[in-house]
Amino acid sequence: QEMDIGVISPYRSQVVRIRKLLRNRRLGSLRAGTVEDYQGQEQRVIVVSCTRASPKWLNWDVEHQMGLLQPKRMNVAITRAQALLLIVGDPALLQFNAHWRSLMQYCWRKNAVIGSLPTSVCCSGPILDTPFIPDAPQ
């Protein structure tokens, strides 16, 4: 059901755009919010929008720990789903963050990737049996 699906984006302006698009497609009952909106809450299905599709602002994001590059915000975003987590993002950009790279490697190993990953993510470096999730019990 629509009420079981939520969308998380790191930026308020993107959340506003997502809500508008959902309403225009008669999917207004889907919940869309920022990471902070989902703090302490869960839904059966979560779609995480990693936002950046261009390297233009990547250095700024890294320098200021914006978006989902901040470990605590990433942890909140990827742990809100009860049954299914869908992450939409550009792996060529996400690979520059160690936490996202680890999660992508884990997903690759578990055949949980739709599309392709850069060779540097799926085929090089140590691939962990479990992903490193910041602030999660190990």
Side-chain angles (χ1 to χ4, degrees):
Q1 293 182 327
E2 288 179 20
M3 60 192 330
D4 292 332
I5 302 171
V7 180
I8 297 177
S9 172
Y11 302 109
R12 175 71 51 199
S13 59
Q14 189 182 36
V15 168
V16 170
R17 293 186 77 181
I18 290 170
R19 287 177 181 162
K20 183 178 179 182
L21 288 169
L22 291 171
R23 281 193 306 271
N24 289 344
R25 288 171 175 75
R26 300 179 195 265
L27 297 170
S29 63
L30 269 73
R31 181 169 175 230
T34 64
V35 175
E36 291 75 21
D37 294 334
Y38 273 91
Q39 185 73 40
Q41 299 181 39
E42 296 179 331
Q43 283 192 264
R44 287 190 47 75
V45 177
I46 291 289
V47 178
V48 176
S49 171
C50 292
T51 305
R52 296 292 186 223
S54 163
K56 179 180 177 183
W57 293 99
L58 187 61
N59 288 336
W60 192 87
D61 284 353
V62 171
E63 184 178 322
H64 295 92
Q65 288 293 296
M66 293 300 293
L68 295 174
L69 298 179
Q70 186 181 38
K72 288 181 181 180
R73 293 182 93 215
M74 177 193 176
N75 184 45
V76 170
I78 66 174
T79 59
R80 301 302 95 189
Q82 296 170 329
L84 177 65
L85 173 66
L86 301 169
I87 300 171
V88 179
D90 183 351
L93 295 177
L94 292 173
Q95 73 173 330
F96 293 109
N97 179 274
H99 304 305
W100 280 104
R101 182 184 176 99
S102 172
L103 181 60
M104 288 188 295
Q105 288 175 333
Y106 176 78
C107 292
W108 180 261
R109 185 169 189 181
K110 298 295 182 180
N111 294 317
V113 174
I114 297 174
S116 62
L117 291 179
T119 304
S120 59
V121 172
C122 62
C123 305
S124 68
I127 297 180
L128 308 173
D129 288 329
T130 57
F132 173 77
I133 300 175
D135 299 321
Q138 300 270 334

